[in-house]
Amino acid sequence: MAVRVHLSSNLRGPTGGIAEVEADGSTVGALIDDLDRRYPGLGDALRAGVSVVIDGLLIAHPEYEPVADGAQVYFVPQTAGG
Amino acid sequence: MTVTEPKPSYKYVGTRPVRHDGLEKVTGRARFAADLNMSGQLHGIVVRSPHAHARIVSIDTSEAEAMPGVKAVITGDDFPAVEPGHRQYDMCINVIARDKVFYEGHALAAVAASTRDQAQAAAAAVKVEYEVLPAVLTIDQALAADAPVLHAHMMTAGANPPAEEPSNISNITRFSGGELDAGFAEADLVIEREFTTQPVHQGYIEPHACVADTGQDGHTTIWCSSQGHFNVRSSTATLLGWENTRIRVIPAEIGGGFGGKTTIYLEPLAVALSAKAGRPVKMVMTRDEVFRATGPAPGTKLRIKLGVKRDGTLVAGDAYLIYTNGAYAGPGGLLGAMTVFESYKIPNFEIEALDVVINTARSAAYRAPAAPLTAYAMETMLDEIAEELGIDPIDFRIQNAVTEGDPSTMGFPFARIGFVECLEAVRDHPNYKAPLGPNQGRGIAAGYWFNIGESSSATVNLNEDGTATVVTGSPDIGGSRASMALMAAEELGIDVYDIRPVVGDTEAVGFTDVTEGSRATFATGMAVVEACRRMVVELRGRAAKMMGVEVDDIDWVDGQAVYTGSDGDKAPLSVAEITAKAKRTGGPLTATGSLEAHGAGPGFAVHVCDLEVDPETGVVRVVRYTASQDAGTAIHPSYVEGQIQGGVAQGVGWALNEEYIYDSDGVMENPSFLDYRVPVASDLPMIDAIIVEVPNPAHPYGVRGVGETGIVPPIPAVANAIYGATGCRIRDLPMSPIRVLDAITSNGGSNGA
């Protein structure tokens, strides 16, 4: 299942600066596994304090979050607050 | 209130009942942590470092242990060893130092004795031999080529190429978009400015306090005030090397936190002392300790360059941000980078942010961490640009404001947000056109904060008489009990005063994350709604049994089970009628909701500050203040207004007076409210709060968190107003009388450039 994955600019080191990549997976965790195969090292970056935005919803702990075919997934740094 | 979209007609949501805990608080009956006393309790006192940076050569507790009334003395040796790489290493060595102290006031031992005086005397008798090390007290010192390195293991995360030597830079964050050089080439006007700010404290009225009672079975109970008692439990367990199940944390009322009580300081010490002494131990910080050893928000050095076209379109932004997080790694720079350009459409940008460690107390969160400082820089520069271009400052912001679908700094498109609506609400308010007097100025500024979701739990219990108890795991730090009761009332159809909202302890309710990121009414409110909806399903089932009909023929309407089938008329059943027969229809009526809340809606705010500057003294007096903020849906408008007003008050203090002052050895020189000046009621006018409601589609009632955004705009709003009154742009905080006077006299009142 092909999904467009967007990486915030601080996460693009393993992709050589590419902002938008394609990945396969029915969950965010599966996407990360696939991305790590395509861009070694990206998996570690995406598992360390990263949230996703899917269809406008900010999801802080997305590993098992389902991803629909054709979805746009944005990986962003995890936020905190006071 | 400004409502921007049609919304359902609610019976309870949006009303202003007296808060359920109000009477207890105004009559003094509410129990805060320091109010708790137990039979046989001891008093704990912390031994703190007088040095900002030193190696601990030895600690001799023998004399202290022999003193009258002393029952226990502990040091770092009484806790499991931790090494760099441990997931909470910084927290562990901050609560009690091991081989080094990293700031003046760093805890390194603790004493429990029968009286507080005895404990203080014994603490003074603990002999510590230090090897004093050079202290790193400023950003410039931390970044100097020959700077002493605080942590030998600190390799800069995010460095490119990867760091090969340790340094005082814990993290580098970079964001970019578009083509920066091309963006600036497109600009008709380019300005670059630098700013400095100092650490400030959250200034909560209630000092940290707790009581711990450890039994012979190895289990302990902690009573304390915090922003999250489940976090107190897990952090204390981590530090002690215990299982969570050995620790029960009972939340006391909280006398202010503002982010500073999202971490722990005393609890593991109290537990360890109690375990050693076999008695309950009470610990209460003095204000001096609160200032020296807890929670300052970061200081910063900021440099921003902006490019804009003659028609007012922002085209380029370049930000270099340095945040100090005290003596340990922290997220200030990251959060600064995530907020600095977030409110505006800037197609070409680069942001680099450094997090730097220095020998001051470990930074803690403070309402919208990092954002007020980037807003200070950004919003004062936007003010300059608007003036230069001859555009009204609100129109300029509306022209460049992000709206639904625009990309954030991190790339994702914003969902429905209310920034433009907040700008319009202020522009259309009569205060925006109110006449100004001599030496008065008006300043406009906007602010943004993400807000977060995280995990929450709620339990709804229906009582035999048809009333309800709503138990949640979120401490009530800003009126959330009332919010929970209102949402439950709306769902169940029970009068809001027939609902008792309760903050449950760690063994009475499901796991709930710490209250941060303005998440309580949003996320815990979602858990309450979920529990109530399950309860309604159960109520319909019980009513169906009582009526002898199918559950599908029962609707829940305004607090009653209503039969909708075709088998004749049946009288509706109220909650009280159903609960009265609960034993005969299946037993007690209880429902729970536990969830990980997704879709926290970002918050925006726009403030207008009118102030007067005394040209002879530099004293600034705020004379009128107007603040709009998007609350999504205001569950209890009075407490939304209160959050806005509180944010303004704290932000005005941050702007005008507050700062940590250290001597050359890193010893804090103003650790009291006499010398650290926070605003009091007489310093401020009534703050006009305008609630804007652009519902958050991810919440059942459209809620956005409101607790933090209100502190983001005040610093630049004040700075812009001072410019309006004096013609002076002040780019260093605080804008204290001496600094304002210096700006006026040094620059002839025309330091606009």
Side-chain angles (χ1 to χ4, degrees), chain B residues 31-44 113-116 209-216 219-224 248-250 252 270-271 274-275 278-284:
Chain B
R31 307 282 304 272
F32 295 82
D35 295 327
L36 297 167
N37 292 292
M38 300 190 69
S39 176
Q41 78 181 10
L42 305 174
H43 296 268
S114 299
T115 70
R116 192 169 169 90
C210 70
V211 180
D213 184 16
T214 308
Q216 292 182 341
H219 288 70
T220 196
T221 302
I222 302 170
W223 292 260
C224 66
R248 178 186 183 192
V249 183
I250 300 176
V271 172
S274 174
R279 304 258 292 271
V281 173
K282 178 176 182 174
M283 301 185 80
V284 182

Side-chain angles (χ1 to χ4, degrees), chain B residues 416-593:
Chain B
R416 185 79 174 92
I417 51 175
F419 186 20
V420 168
E421 287 81 354
C422 288
L423 286 159
E424 292 171 341
V426 160
R427 181 196 61 194
D428 298 340
H429 194 281
N431 284 359
Y432 188 53
K433 295 181 178 61
L436 294 170
N439 299 313
Q440 293 187 350
R442 174 167 296 149
I444 318 300
Y448 162 83
W449 186 243
F450 312 96
N451 297 325
I452 63 174
E454 301 285 359
S455 296
S456 285
S457 297
T459 300
V460 176
N461 298 313
L462 290 186
N463 304 314
E464 309 91 292
D465 59 357
T467 62
T469 305
V470 174
V471 188
T472 70
S474 290
D476 185 351
I477 68 172
S480 58
R481 281 190 182 92
S483 299
M484 303 309 158
L486 282 163
M487 285 183 272
E490 195 69 49
E491 291 291 327
L492 298 173
I494 296 176
D495 188 274
V496 69
Y497 290 121
D498 285 336
I499 295 174
R500 184 73 182 164
V502 173
V503 182
D505 69 59
T506 52
E507 295 181 359
V509 68
F511 178 85
T512 299
D513 269 310
V514 68
T515 299
E516 61 177 0
S518 304
R519 59 174 294 280
T521 297
F522 170 72
T524 304
M526 287 173 78
V528 168
V529 170
E530 183 176 280
C532 288
R533 291 183 178 176
R534 287 180 177 153
M535 178 62 81
V536 166
V537 170
E538 184 66 22
L539 283 165
R540 288 173 55 233
R542 301 297 181 94
K545 277 189 184 177
M546 291 169 69
M547 293 184 193
V549 301
E550 295 297 318
V551 67
D552 289 345
D553 290 332
I554 300 289
D555 279 355
W556 193 254
V557 181
D558 198 19
Q560 290 186 315
V562 176
Y563 177 63
T564 59
S566 56
D567 186 20
D569 291 337
K570 297 184 186 300
L573 291 173
S574 68
V575 176
E577 288 171 311
I578 298 170
T579 56
K581 294 191 175 179
K583 277 182 179 293
R584 282 171 269 175
T585 59
L589 285 146
T590 294
T592 62

Side-chain angles (χ1 to χ4, degrees), chain B residues 46-52 94-95 101-108 288-289 291-294 361 666-668:
Chain B
V46 177
V47 180
R48 299 186 182 279
S49 168
H51 304 293
N94 185 55
V95 169
V101 288
F102 289 101
Y103 55 90
E104 185 242 351
H106 197 164
L108 53 86
D288 183 283
E289 289 179 290
F291 272 116
R292 293 184 197 278
T294 75
V667 175
M668 189 183 181

Side-chain angles (χ1 to χ4, degrees), chain A residues 6-12 49 53 55-62 65 74-82, chain B residues 174-176 227 258-259 334 338 365 367 369 410-413 415 449-450 452 454 516-517 596 598-599 698 708:
Chain A
H6 304 256
L7 302 169
S8 61
S9 47
N10 64 320
L11 298 172
R12 295 173 195 163
V53 177
D55 297 332
L57 272 188
L58 177 65
I59 301 167
H61 304 286
E65 197 63 27
Y74 295 81
F75 282 90
V76 300
Q78 212 161 60
T79 60
Chain B
R174 293 186 182 88
F175 292 119
S176 60
Q227 290 179 235
F258 315 115
L334 168 66
M338 292 170 73
R367 292 175 106 154
M410 279 82 68
F412 66 85
W449 186 243
F450 312 96
I452 63 174
E454 301 285 359
E516 61 177 0
E596 172 77 11
H598 299 161
E708 297 173 283

Side-chain angles (χ1 to χ4, degrees), chain B residues 273-408:
Chain B
L273 286 169
S274 174
K276 204 163 188 175
R279 304 258 292 271
V281 173
K282 178 176 182 174
M283 301 185 80
V284 182
M285 283 196 194
T286 62
R287 180 61 57 186
D288 183 283
E289 289 179 290
V290 171
F291 272 116
R292 293 184 197 278
T294 75
T300 67
K301 289 184 74 170
L302 312 170
R303 185 178 72 232
I304 294 179
K305 181 179 172 185
L306 293 174
V308 60
K309 295 173 80 167
R310 181 60 59 188
D311 68 0
T313 305
L314 287 166
V315 289
D318 188 10
Y320 181 63
L321 319 172
I322 309 175
Y323 279 72
T324 65
N325 294 291
Y328 304 94
L334 168 66
L335 297 173
M338 292 170 73
T339 54
V340 61
F341 294 147
E342 195 73 345
S343 300
Y344 299 99
K345 292 175 282 195
I346 303 178
N348 308 289
F349 66 91
E350 288 185 9
I351 305 164
E352 182 173 68
L354 276 60
D355 284 300
V356 171
V357 294
I358 60 174
N359 288 116
T360 61
R362 183 190 189 206
S363 286
Y366 183 15
R367 292 175 106 154
L373 305 172
T374 49
Y376 171 41
M378 191 60 191
E379 293 288 324
T380 53
M381 292 178 68
L382 293 179
D383 211 50
E384 269 194 82
I385 292 171
E387 183 184 37
E388 178 76 20
L389 298 179
I391 305 175
D392 176 89
I394 290 185
D395 290 340
F396 177 54
R397 286 172 171 83
I398 289 174
Q399 180 179 348
N400 291 285
V402 289
T403 58
E404 183 176 0
D406 286 328
S408 76

